[in-house]
């Protein structure tokens, strides 16, 4: 491989609303933005749901072009007519129903494979994030792993090594998911493959925002945990001989709406 080969590492923090990012709660991200660049007009696709947005990230195309219109959606003329994307089985079942045409746009996994360069995705998300980001990557010899659902890791030699090295239980780990995903990349992906592109996707801070809300202390704690991963990722990059050819991107897929209170719909209708 040429010495001038470039590498891109994308770290995705699910559900991170940009207006919540401050120097005090995400110091590493703020420092990276200061030393690098911050895309103020970066926006997600519509509808702004995780697995539609991840498919858009992997294909560089909107739902109208790539065919994945969100976490679940209807496709006219198929039976059943609803497509789910929560598990890998959902993806493959829908692809079978749609005659291999679930994802209609070429993905980064496919493009890099054609160029003879490796691509890797390591997630700590629900099982459907991996096929969204690395659709059919296993068939192309690309790398995929989910620290919470390690049964769907590939190739097997890498997945077995990651299990042993990171002491990930057969049933997966949910504690420190984002940092564990980074460690898998750092120890078991990069030294072996030096992928042209890698995506590390964290389920946080989305889960904690759903569970506890935007003003919660739990959200702040998860933001700091993800920020620690950004700090480790940057330190890792700076320690590599190839550091000048490694570009880091920190991205998210959507935010969360601000809720000022709740309404009992039945009571409100009765009163009206
Ligand atoms: Zn999301």
């Amino acid at each position: 491989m040429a010495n001038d080969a470039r590498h891109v590492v994308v770290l995705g923090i699910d559900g991170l609303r940009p207006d919540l990012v401050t120097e005090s709660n995400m110091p590493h991200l703020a420092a990276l933005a200061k030393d690098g660049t911050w895309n103020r007009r970066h926006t997600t696709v519509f509808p702004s749901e995780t697995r539609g947005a991840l498919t858009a990230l992997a294909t560089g195309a909107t739902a109208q072009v790539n065919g994945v219109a969100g976490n679940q959606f209807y496709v006219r003329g198929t039976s059943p007519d609803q497509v789910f994307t929560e598990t890998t089985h959902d993806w493959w079942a829908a692809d079978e129903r749609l005659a291999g045409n679930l994802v209609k746009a070429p993905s980064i996994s496919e493009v890099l494979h054609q160029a003879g360069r490796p691509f890797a995705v390591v997630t700590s998300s629900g099982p459907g994030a991996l096929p969204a980001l690395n659709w059919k990557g296993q068939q192309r010899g690309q790398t995929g792993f989910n620290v919470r659902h390690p049964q769907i890791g590939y190739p097997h030699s890498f997945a077995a090594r990651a299990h042993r090295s990171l002491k990930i239980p057969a049933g997966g780990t949910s504690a420190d998911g984002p940092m564990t995903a980074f460690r898998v990349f750092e120890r078991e992906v990069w030294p072996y493959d030096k992928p042209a592109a890698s995506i590390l996707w964290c389920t946080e801070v989305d889960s904690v925002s759903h569970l506890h809300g935007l003003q919660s202390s739990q959200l702040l704690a998860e933001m700091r945990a993800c920020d620690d991963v950004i700090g480790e990722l940057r330190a890792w990059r700076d320690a590599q001989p190839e550091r000048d050819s490694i570009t880091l991107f920190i991205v998210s897929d959507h935010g969360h709406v601000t809720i000022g209170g709740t309404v009992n719909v039945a009571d409100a209708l009765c009163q009206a």
Side-chain angles (χ1 to χ4, degrees):
M1 192 169 294
N3 287 332
D4 61 352
R6 296 207 60 87
H7 308 274
V8 170
V9 182
V10 177
L11 173 64
I13 301 176
D14 206 298
L16 180 65
R17 233 173 88 153
D19 63 347
L20 298 179
V21 177
T22 66
E23 227 170 293
S24 66
N25 58 31
M26 297 194 84
H28 291 297
L29 180 53
L32 192 60
K34 211 167 150 190
D35 297 343
T37 188
W38 176 279
N39 188 342
R40 294 186 188 283
R41 297 186 68 186
H42 174 81
T43 188
T44 191
V45 292
F46 178 82
S48 55
E49 294 182 346
T50 299
R51 290 181 291 279
L54 297 190
T55 306
L57 175 66
T59 59
T62 59
Q64 290 92 328
V65 176
N66 71 41
V68 179
N71 287 347
Q72 71 190 68
F73 52 96
Y74 286 92
V75 177
R76 197 178 290 143
T78 65
S79 179
D81 59 4
Q82 197 163 8
V83 169
F84 297 93
T85 61
E86 195 174 357
T87 70
T88 46
H89 307 301
D90 288 328
W91 284 79
W92 285 104
D95 195 53
E96 206 173 289
R97 286 205 314 275
L98 298 170
N101 212 19
L102 171 61
V103 180
K104 296 184 178 75
S107 68
I108 187 170
S109 160
E110 186 177 342
V111 170
L112 287 174
H113 174 69
Q114 283 165 4
R117 297 201 61 196
F119 172 62
V121 175
V122 185
T123 79
S124 57
S125 300
L130 190 51
L133 289 168
N134 201 352
W135 179 231
K136 299 187 177 176
Q138 182 168 13
Q139 283 67 21
R140 302 188 188 102
Q142 304 289 31
T143 299
F145 199 75
N146 184 328
V147 300
R148 285 172 61 207
H149 305 278
Q151 307 89 336
I152 52 176
Y154 49 83
H156 297 305
S157 54
F158 148 75
R161 209 171 61 221
H163 262 295
R164 281 194 300 275
S165 155
L166 276 297
K167 299 186 169 55
I168 295 171
T173 180
S174 50
D176 286 335
M179 190 63 89
T180 306
F182 168 69
R183 296 288 177 222
V184 168
F185 167 76
E186 177 194 31
R187 294 181 197 172
E188 303 302 335
V189 176
W190 176 261
Y192 293 84
D193 284 343
K194 302 204 168 168
S198 309
I199 300 177
L200 313 179
W201 197 267
C202 313
T203 193
E204 297 300 358
V205 297
D206 185 70
S207 303
V208 77
S209 303
H210 280 295
L211 281 171
H212 301 287
L214 287 178
Q215 303 301 327
S216 65
S217 57
Q218 290 93 336
L219 172 59
L220 280 177
E222 283 300 343
M223 286 173 76
R224 290 201 185 97
C226 288
D227 193 63
D228 288 343
V229 179
I230 295 171
E232 290 288 310
L233 179 65
R234 194 169 174 186
W236 163 82
R237 196 269 308 269
D238 291 347
Q240 302 310 308
E242 303 90 347
R243 58 187 165 273
D244 292 338
S245 65
I246 301 172
T247 303
L248 305 181
F249 285 94
I250 313 298
V251 301
S252 189
D253 54 344
H254 56 76
H256 281 259
V257 294
T258 305
I259 297 172
T262 57
V263 173
N264 184 320
V265 177
D267 285 353
L269 287 175
C270 287
Q271 280 167 24

